[in-house]
Amino acid sequence: MYTTELSKNVQPIETPEDPALLEAFEARVAADEFIEPKDWMPEAYRKTLVRQISQHAHSEIVGMLPEGNWITRAPSLRRKAILLAKVQDEAGHGLYLYCAAETLGTSREEMIEALHSGKAKYSTIFNYPTLTWADIGAIGWLVDGAAIMNQVPLQRTSYGPYARAMVRVCKEESFHQRQGYEIMIALANGTAAQKRMAQDALNRWWWPSLMMFGPPDDNSPNTERSMRWRIKRETNDELRQKFVDITKPQADFLGLTVPDPELKWNDEKGGHDFGEVDWDEFYAVVRGEGPVAKERITARREAWENNTWVREAAAAHAAKKQAREAA
Amino acid sequence: MPAADELAADPLEDAYYDYLLRLGDDALILGQRLSEWCGHAPSVEVDLSLANMALDLIGQATHILNNANNGDGDELAFKRDVLDFRNCLLVEQPNGDFARTIVRQLLYSTWQHLLFQQLAESRDPFLSAIAAKAVKEVAYHRELASEWTVRLGDGTDESAARMRDALDWCWRFVPELFEVDETLEEMIARQTVPDPRSFEREYRAAIGDVLAEAKLEMPADQRPILGGRRGHHSEHLGHLLAAMQYLPRTYPDAVW
């Protein structure tokens, strides 16, 4: 799963930097070198990365909830095992993304605290409910499909630990997308009730999936600098276009209709024209007003707070053990 | 799934089939319970390890139930009602808090590990193959549960109190693991499966060792609660099945 820059009005972080160091840094990045944790970096670069990587990590963890909702109800043993493995992968992604963010000097506890207080964001997509089994197919197909599109360029992002995490994440995401599409194929070839479920899922997930690429380029304040710093390698609108072009034929193959009457092939531009995303809805969801935003964050807070005693016990035990070994 | 009258016609097949259901249902129901934690565990690391165990168990259940039903384990998993489930009562117990989940795992995985070590030597090629494969997974489940038992038992006052409550909850279901009824007598007589009573002493010693390291007392024996192996379950199993089976039952003609 992936999240792009979600805050509309992020103030550019400007701190006075040593011009010589800054120039050397810019030159390294421009030459496509990786920046490593111990290297000098501008404060704004560090902060932008912490925000982006932690948002990404939070998205993986919150993203376990809509799919976890269906593990206990998966319709066959095979589907149950695949979904379990998939959600387990998401937890793994969250873990190594938190680790990548920690290399920038922010602890996991701080990041989790920021998530629970609402200060940190996660992908808007997870604030929509999974109502039927077809939603598990649609999430794999569309949401993981969008995630791959976002993440493939990030394998060449300038921050070494993030780029390396993305290499591993991308491999697993392509498996996730295939399993989602395979669910959709089974439904599309199934009974009338299954086809209805599949079409309904596409209807509900299409537009939120397009929102995953973030605000339009003319309203994406940090895009230009992030592109220069190779934190981002393609613009939101470029990626969105690519996603529509790849996904439309896949929907055709399933015999499903994309819920956009304006969607049509444009020979001249060599891509599809498509309707305008409802940006008011997008910003509302970013503000935390998504249909199940309260449910998601409550579930995360409860998992954390109800199990404080477990983490305390583990820490107390480790301390006792260390004391005994030292004695 | 053989119909009841077919089963009655061949008591040997009956016992074998029944035994497969016991093993398969234990794995399925415990895997289902563990998967309920997904996304709600105390930390990302714990989420990963619980999902991992769930995945192992669902995999074991799939092999065993497929074998019991000519390759169609789904029919057994999704189309039987409580009276036909053969899992032990311990594995269907609700997750409770993390302490209860861990105690349930310790008590079950230790038993499953001792059983599968012997079952791996079975004369029955299917049982020996599945046990030989699964015993490695189960060894890891046992180790994980033992480590958490020690951490929580010898952690804080609160965690120790929760572990004592969890032991108190689960302990009454332990005797069922060593119960020998007609099915098991038949299987033991055929020398295809071990008599669980042969490793009961070892089991109790092993649990005692982990609890001692966890600074927890071995619970006093309680009146045994039995019945799972005959389809007489706790009230909890019906709810678990209602969630697990709802799609195949709502859409009986659908293929997923």
Side-chain angles (χ1 to χ4, degrees), chain A residues 219-237:
Chain A
N219 200 7
S220 182
N222 290 341
T223 290
E224 193 215 317
R225 190 176 63 186
S226 288
M227 298 275 283
R228 192 176 81 235
W229 278 349
R230 308 286 200 262
I231 292 172
K232 203 172 179 145
R233 308 216 51 150
E234 286 175 74
T235 73
N236 297 350
D237 286 335

Side-chain angles (χ1 to χ4, degrees), chain A residues 91-137:
Chain A
H93 298 173
L95 198 56
Y96 38 84
L97 284 162
Y98 280 129
C99 292
E102 280 186 311
T103 62
L104 292 158
T106 305
S107 73
R108 203 202 304 184
E109 281 67 27
E110 288 173 86
M111 291 184 263
I112 288 175
E113 175 51 39
L115 171 69
H116 293 176
S117 70
K119 211 177 122 209
K121 305 288 181 195
Y122 57 89
S123 182
T124 50
I125 197 79
F126 303 119
N127 293 311
Y128 293 88
T130 48
L131 303 181
T132 72
W133 172 250
D135 290 18
I136 299 307

Side-chain angles (χ1 to χ4, degrees), chain A residues 247-310:
Chain A
T247 311
K248 169 69 169 70
Q250 295 172 344
D252 291 343
F253 179 80
L254 293 171
L256 299 177
T257 308
V258 174
D260 178 359
E262 291 174 49
L263 181 67
K264 63 170 185 298
W265 180 256
N266 179 334
D267 239 349
E268 210 170 300
K269 80 171 182 185
H272 291 85
D273 290 331
F274 54 97
E276 182 75 3
V277 171
D278 181 349
W279 293 113
D280 286 344
E281 175 173 326
F282 171 73
Y283 288 116
V285 179
V286 169
R287 284 194 306 271
E289 296 168 22
V292 294
K294 281 194 189 359
E295 284 85 346
R296 297 289 183 251
I297 207 67
T298 302
R300 284 313 311 157
R301 274 197 206 125
E302 282 178 358
W304 191 250
E305 286 162 13
N306 295 348
N307 289 301
T308 303
W309 69 271
V310 176

Side-chain angles (χ1 to χ4, degrees), chain A residues 72 77 79-80 108 194 300, chain B residues 32 39 45 74 155 255-256:
Chain A
T72 56
L77 294 171
R79 293 289 181 206
K80 192 187 290 290
R108 203 202 304 184
Q194 285 175 303
R300 284 313 311 157
Chain B
Q32 175 78 2
E45 287 85 348
D74 282 341
V255 176
W256 304 93

Side-chain angles (χ1 to χ4, degrees), chain B residues 35-53:
Chain B
S35 73
E36 291 170 8
W37 271 104
C38 194
H40 306 278
S43 70
V44 187
E45 287 85 348
V46 176
D47 233 316
L48 277 165
S49 46
L50 295 177
N52 204 24
M53 286 197 289

Side-chain angles (χ1 to χ4, degrees), chain B residues 20-187:
Chain B
L20 290 181
L21 290 188
R22 292 176 187 201
L23 293 184
D25 289 348
D26 278 0
L28 174 61
I29 301 301
L30 187 54
Q32 175 78 2
R33 278 292 185 223
L34 287 170
S35 73
E36 291 170 8
W37 271 104
C38 194
H40 306 278
S43 70
V44 187
E45 287 85 348
V46 176
D47 233 316
L48 277 165
S49 46
L50 295 177
N52 204 24
M53 286 197 289
L55 200 50
D56 287 343
L57 289 162
I58 297 297
Q60 292 170 19
T62 305
H63 279 295
I64 298 168
L65 296 178
N66 277 345
N67 188 264
N69 196 37
N70 300 318
D72 191 358
D74 282 341
E75 190 187 10
L76 292 175
F78 296 98
K79 300 285 171 69
R80 279 177 301 158
D81 200 359
V82 277
L83 291 178
D84 292 319
F85 268 81
R86 291 289 176 267
N87 59 281
C88 62
L89 298 171
L90 178 63
V91 294
E92 72 195 44
Q93 294 307 303
N95 288 335
D97 62 3
F98 186 62
R100 199 193 288 173
T101 291
I102 287 301
V103 167
R104 184 184 65 197
Q105 200 67 43
L106 175 75
L107 297 179
Y108 185 75
S109 296
T110 304
W111 178 81
Q112 195 190 11
H113 188 228
L114 295 173
L115 173 66
F116 276 31
Q117 279 175 327
Q118 293 196 35
L119 211 50
E121 311 296 326
S122 171
R123 294 182 350 186
D124 180 83
F126 174 74
L127 289 175
S128 64
I130 181 77
K133 180 177 176 290
V135 74
K136 295 172 206 134
E137 297 166 352
V138 176
Y140 163 75
H141 304 173
R142 179 183 175 179
E143 192 182 318
L144 188 97
S146 301
E147 285 169 5
W148 271 108
T149 299
V150 171
R151 248 177 239 134
L152 297 177
D154 186 23
T156 61
D157 289 346
E158 182 183 0
S159 66
R162 284 174 183 265
M163 287 298 279
R164 284 191 295 274
D165 286 348
L167 278 163
D168 181 60
W169 183 276
C170 294
W171 198 247
R172 61 202 152 130
F173 303 116
V174 170
E176 187 183 30
L177 302 173
F178 298 97
E179 185 194 19
V180 175
D181 61 0
E182 281 177 12
T183 291
L184 211 44
E185 268 171 14
E186 174 64 39
M187 292 296 284

